């Protein structure tokens, strides 16, 4: 735990640094501490305080105004993150950006599912599988879902790029990209210290400090710690509950400017996330109305269920159709542990006014120790006298990646261009076992806990290792033959090579080949493709732009390590047609953006998963991924409106409509279970994608003195329709409506040197709304449906000191 102590020591050191900084030489911040520093371009274009602030993005590998960038983008700035009390990416699951969908994998916070515009992978939680939306940290692609929920450091903005980004961002961005941009060192001493506490035993601490530039080198230090106790308690003494977390980490960044035109940015970050899954609740029992076996019938049948009947529900097990704060059955559980760290070097050299050369080099690692006992008796195995139950999913994942990218970015006359070369190398391995931690008594009125030595050394259900390499060359250019017309063309050539081995299945080497000559199961994937892009944009006026865009993207193929034979599958690809309008009207008091798109996806990767009982009493999660024949249709409309009718008041609303249809797909798992040789085709669905989603915000700033102190109020409301949460299940979740709020007394002067204090109260899920965000009827025929509910209301207070 020495790293945790180091972070805490850093936070304490920040308090001391603030005290020392009480003298002169610290300039007062013009706004609350977490507001991003404006670029010189933004400052030059800024209007008076009665208008909306210009938003600068880097979606085209150069800084451009959001209005002048002809793709659909949503930006969550540092101020937005603060107002919504966003500490990690899971906090964006409330629907802050309607087209962006964030969900846990299974019930686990240790790995996140990220989707945009209906491109949402159900299970990319394996070494040989890929995401459909690329997640980037300061320009570096993050190869795994694991570790995505680490605590955020000092973020300047999160850019949500919607639609295929196959040209500039490349592989696995067919739905879009989520780009996290960190604040860079300023070279001037200053920073902020934040501390806070809330319900469920929550506490937070942040230290963000810029050091003075020395010998052309500037340093920035960041440290965070975030803690919350369980929102669903575990009745077993000494064991972790559900939906708790303890995150901490640190980041150090350096910026070196040895000569004019040359900037070298170096950064190292390290984080740890200790968390538990959301509680999986049995929301109904015997929904198919089958006969329920009696204890006498089970005994007469050799302690097995009679044919056609389901097991009785033990008296200690509760059907819980509403969100529960206390589990009915206590289970052993300890927090899962995610560790992430990485080093990034970004070098920019302005060779001439027409060209800048860049190099982005990065090494990153992520490791995960999973301890998921989320369901107790609410999932299979079902009750039988004196048998084991409560599936305890114990798994590990270790990943290492290296990437190198070279870019040339420049302008010549009426032409802006980007050229690039990219290389990515990854190794990832995993293992999993699923023992049962509890044991029933003879009649279901009680249970005992199994000896940990029995389940901690259980049979390994699966173990695999996979390797991936990707090479790419790309270019994009925008030509403006006349002032209002802009024509952009681009393309990217990518070569992917992947291979892997399924080393163990159910405790023994995997078996492929023939019965007479079995071999260990492997896969190999070698694919190359070209992704083009074309955009025509036209400036109707200085305030209104329109565009039409064609782009393609893809998600690489791979293999499922949950499959007993390491079944491989091919890439899926998408063609996208989009038209849009961007505008800033009435002296930048109104910002309105509108986009409509058609996406046709070919060879959709579809997951079929079944929890299959094993001879030793455990339950194995078997999952096969197939490429669905035909075209998956995705259609949508997105609209964003921001209005500042009077000084101090801002109103915003964002809406997304998404239509999806996937062709029926072949269910190879069911075919294997049927064993009759008859092909099985069934309807499948796109997960976590509501047909309608909307988010609205109200912000009001009321100055109360000439020193800049103000009362600042924020409220946001987020709605989404019900969604599917499994590819092969027709059951829907609940609709959701989440309201968040914040009230702050901001920028209270503390000294003549410029120190300022902000005190704020915040609430997430203000009205304590309860909804099912994940639901399965896979156990409906033998037990009942189970579900995971959203987090209950959380609230707290925090204080921030600018120094």
């Amino acid at each position: 735990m020495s790293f945790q102590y180091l972070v805490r020591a850093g936070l304490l050191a920040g308090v001391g640094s603030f005290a020392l900084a009480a003298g002169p030489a610290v300039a007062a911040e013009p706004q609350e501490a977490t507001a991003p520093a404006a670029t010189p371009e933004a400052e030059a274009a800024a209007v008076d305080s009665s208008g909306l602030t210009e938003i600068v993005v880097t979606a085209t590998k150069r800084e451009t105004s959001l209005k002048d960038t002809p793709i659909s983008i949503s930006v969550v700035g540092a101020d937005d993150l603060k107002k919504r009390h966003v500490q990690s990416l899971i906090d964006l699951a409330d629907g802050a950006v309607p087209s962006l969908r964030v969900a846990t994998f299974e019930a686990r916070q240790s790995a996140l599912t990220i989707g945009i515009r209906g491109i949402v992978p159900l299970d990319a939680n394996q070494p040989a599988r890929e995401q459909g939306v690329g997640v980037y940290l300061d320009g570096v692609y993050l190869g795994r879902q694991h570790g995505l929920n680490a605590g955020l450091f000092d973020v300047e903005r999160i850019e949500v790029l919607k639609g295929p980004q196959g040209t500039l961002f490349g592989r696995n961005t067919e739905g879009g990209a989520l780009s996290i941009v960190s604040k860079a060192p300023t070279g001037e001493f200053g920073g902020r210290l934040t501390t806070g506490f809330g319900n469920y035993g929550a506490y937070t601490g942040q230290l963000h400090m810029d050091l003075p530039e020395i010998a052309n080198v500037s340093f920035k230090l960041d440290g965070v710690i975030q803690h919350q106790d369980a929102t669903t308690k575990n009745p077993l003494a000494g064991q972790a509950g559900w939906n708790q977390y303890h995150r901490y980490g640190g980041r150090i960044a350096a910026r070196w400017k040895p000569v004019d035109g040359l900037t070298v940015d170096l950064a190292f970050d390290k984080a740890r996330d200790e968390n538990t899954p959301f509680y999986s609740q049995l929301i109904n029992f015997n929904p198919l109305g089958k006969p329920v076996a009696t204890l006498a019938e089970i005994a007469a049948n050799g302690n097995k269920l009679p044919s056609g009947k389901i097991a009785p529900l033990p008296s200690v097990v509760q059907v819980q159709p509403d969100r529960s704060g206390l589990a009915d059955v206590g289970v052993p559980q300890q927090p899962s542990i995610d560790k992430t760290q990485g080093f990034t070097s970004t070098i920019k050299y302005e060779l001439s006014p027409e060209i800048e050369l860049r190099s982005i080099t990065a090494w990153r690692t992520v490791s995960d120790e999973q301890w998921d006992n989320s369901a107790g008796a609410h999932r299979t195995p079902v009750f039988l006298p004196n048998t084991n139950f409560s599936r305890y999913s114990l798994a590990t994942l270790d990943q290492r990646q290296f990437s190198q990218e070279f870019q040339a970015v420049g302008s010549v006359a009426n032409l802006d261009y980007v050229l690039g070369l990219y290389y990515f190398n990854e190794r990832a391995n995993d293992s999993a076992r699923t023992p049962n931690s509890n044991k029933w008594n003879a009649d279901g009125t009680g249970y005992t806990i199994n000896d940990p030595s029995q389940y901690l050394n259980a049979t390994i259900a699966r173990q695999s290792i996979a390797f991936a390499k990707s090479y790419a060359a790309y270019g994009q250019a925008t030509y403006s033959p006349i002032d209002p017309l802009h024509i952009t063309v681009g393309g990217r050539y990518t070569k992917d090579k992947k291979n892997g081995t399924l080393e163990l299945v159910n405790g023994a080497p995997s078996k492929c080949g023939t019965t007479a000559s079995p071999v260990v199961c492997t896969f190999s994937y070698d694919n190359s493709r070209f992704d083009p892009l074309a955009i025509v944009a036209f400036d109707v006026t200085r305030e209104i732009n329109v565009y039409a865009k064609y782009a393609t993207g893809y998600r690489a193929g791979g293999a499922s390590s949950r499959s007993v034979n390491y079944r491989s599958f091919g890439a899926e690809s998408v063609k996208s047609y989009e038209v849009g309008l961007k505008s800033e009207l009435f002296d930048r008091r109104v910002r309105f953006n509108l986009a409509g798109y058609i996406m046709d996806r070919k060879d959709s990767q579809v997951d079929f998963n079944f929890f299959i009982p094993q001879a030793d009493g455990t339950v194995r999660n078997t999952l096969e991924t197939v490429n669905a024949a035909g075209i998956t249709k995705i259609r949508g409309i997105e609209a964003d409106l921001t209005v500042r009718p009077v000084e101090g008041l801002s109103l915003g609303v964002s809406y997304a409509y998404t239509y999806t249809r996937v062709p029926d797909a072949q269910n190879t798992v069911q075919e294997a279970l049927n064993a009759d040789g008859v092909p099985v085709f069934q309807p499948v669905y796109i997960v976590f994608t509501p047909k309608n989603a909307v988010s609205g915000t109200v912000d009001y700033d009321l100055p109360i003195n000439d020193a800049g102190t103000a009362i600042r109020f924020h409220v946001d409301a987020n709605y989404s329709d019900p969604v599917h949460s499994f590819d092969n299940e027709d059951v829907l979740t609940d609709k959701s409506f989440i309201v968040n709020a914040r009230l702050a007394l901001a920028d209270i002067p503390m000294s003549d040197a410029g120190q300022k204090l902000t005190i704020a109260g915040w609430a997430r899920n203000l009205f304590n709304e309860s909804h099912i965000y994940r639901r399965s009827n896979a156990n409906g025929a033998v037990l009942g449906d189970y579900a995971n509910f959203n987090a209950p209301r959380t609230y707290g207070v925090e204080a921030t000191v600018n120094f």
Side-chain angles (χ1 to χ4, degrees), residues 192-226:
R192 69 185 187 276
L193 178 69
T194 299
T195 185
F197 62 91
N199 62 335
Y200 295 108
Y203 60 85
T204 61
Q206 298 182 49
L207 170 66
H208 306 291
M209 181 186 298
D210 278 288
L211 301 179
E213 181 180 301
I214 300 176
N216 298 321
V217 180
S218 305
F219 287 95
K220 187 175 188 296
L221 306 176
D222 299 297
V224 299
I225 186 167
Q226 305 165 356

Side-chain angles (χ1 to χ4, degrees), residues 341-363:
Q341 66 178 24
F343 170 78
T344 303
S345 166
T346 303
I347 303 173
K348 298 180 180 180
Y349 180 56
E350 187 176 332
L351 189 64
S352 72
E354 291 78 26
I355 183 170
E356 180 178 82
L357 303 179
R358 302 175 183 173
S359 169
I360 305 174
T361 308
W363 294 264

Side-chain angles (χ1 to χ4, degrees), residues 752-768:
D752 293 337
Q755 287 78 29
K756 291 190 175 183
L757 170 68
T758 295
I759 301 173
W762 59 269
R764 291 186 58 82
N765 192 9
L766 178 64
F767 299 122
N768 203 29

Side-chain angles (χ1 to χ4, degrees), residues 566-587:
Y566 215 26
R567 179 190 178 98
S568 61
F569 49 87
E572 66 179 23
S573 59
V574 67
K575 294 181 179 179
S576 173
Y577 310 84
E578 178 179 330
V579 294
L581 175 148
K582 294 193 168 187
S583 63
E584 291 182 348
L585 308 170
F586 307 112
D587 294 326

Side-chain angles (χ1 to χ4, degrees), residues 38-48 52-56 65 584 588:
T39 62
E41 293 81 3
E43 290 176 348
V47 298
D48 62 68
L52 297 168
T53 302
E54 182 178 25
I55 298 176
V56 176
S65 166
E584 291 182 348
R588 202 178 282 168

Side-chain angles (χ1 to χ4, degrees), residues 3-305:
F3 182 62
Q4 180 181 7
Y5 295 147
L6 179 62
V7 172
R8 288 177 172 173
L11 294 174
L12 293 174
V15 177
S17 297
F18 160 68
L20 291 174
V26 179
E29 291 287 338
Q31 53 189 323
E32 279 191 68
T34 54
T39 62
E41 293 81 3
E43 290 176 348
V47 298
D48 62 68
S49 59
S50 63
L52 297 168
T53 302
E54 182 178 25
I55 298 176
V56 176
V57 297
T58 54
T60 58
K61 305 298 184 181
R62 66 176 74 237
E63 289 192 349
T64 57
S65 166
L66 176 66
K67 178 180 70 70
D68 297 329
T69 306
I71 60 175
S72 183
I73 309 173
S74 291
V75 179
V76 184
D79 203 45
D80 302 311
L81 297 173
K82 173 189 61 185
K83 291 173 181 177
R84 289 176 171 268
H85 198 69
V86 173
Q87 300 185 101
S88 67
L89 291 181
I90 191 66
D91 291 330
L92 295 177
D94 59 10
V97 179
S99 293
L100 172 69
R101 311 316 298 180
V102 181
T104 60
F105 170 72
E106 286 284 330
R108 303 161 194 156
Q109 300 184 60
S110 54
L112 297 183
T113 296
I114 309 290
I116 298 175
R117 284 188 175 178
I119 305 295
V120 192
L122 173 63
D123 182 5
N125 193 43
Q126 304 173 41
R129 302 207 57 186
E130 308 294 345
Q131 305 168 78
V133 170
V135 180
Y136 292 80
L137 177 60
D138 296 324
V140 176
Y141 174 69
L142 305 181
R144 296 293 104 201
Q145 284 183 310
H146 293 83
L148 293 185
N149 202 33
L152 296 172
F153 293 117
D154 202 8
V155 174
E156 182 172 314
R157 65 184 180 276
I158 298 176
E159 299 180 10
V160 182
L161 284 59
K162 306 168 191 175
Q165 306 297 318
T167 300
L168 293 183
F169 289 85
R171 65 196 294 264
N172 305 328
T173 60
E174 60 171 347
L178 187 151
S179 178
I180 303 170
V181 181
S182 302
K183 291 184 180 179
T186 65
E188 298 180 0
F189 181 78
R192 69 185 187 276
L193 178 69
T194 299
T195 185
F197 62 91
N199 62 335
Y200 295 108
Y203 60 85
T204 61
Q206 298 182 49
L207 170 66
H208 306 291
M209 181 186 298
D210 278 288
L211 301 179
E213 181 180 301
I214 300 176
N216 298 321
V217 180
S218 305
F219 287 95
K220 187 175 188 296
L221 306 176
D222 299 297
V224 299
I225 186 167
Q226 305 165 356
H227 176 90
Q228 177 186 278
D229 292 340
T231 59
T232 302
K233 294 181 179 180
N234 189 342
L236 184 60
Q239 299 301 304
W242 292 270
N243 186 29
Q244 69 182 53
Y245 58 79
H246 184 74
R247 313 182 190 115
Y248 57 93
R251 181 177 186 267
I252 181 170
R255 170 166 285 184
W256 181 38
K257 293 185 174 182
V259 295
D260 289 343
L262 177 61
T263 301
V264 180
D265 283 312
L266 306 175
F268 174 77
D269 63 88
K270 186 172 184 178
R272 181 183 176 104
D273 178 12
E274 303 171 5
N275 62 77
T276 59
F278 284 78
Y279 184 47
S280 294
Q281 300 179 206
L282 185 67
I283 59 173
N284 57 43
F285 173 66
N286 192 18
L288 301 184
K290 289 187 174 182
V292 179
T294 65
L295 292 176
E297 289 174 327
I298 293 172
N301 198 41
N303 208 37
K304 296 180 181 179
L305 285 174

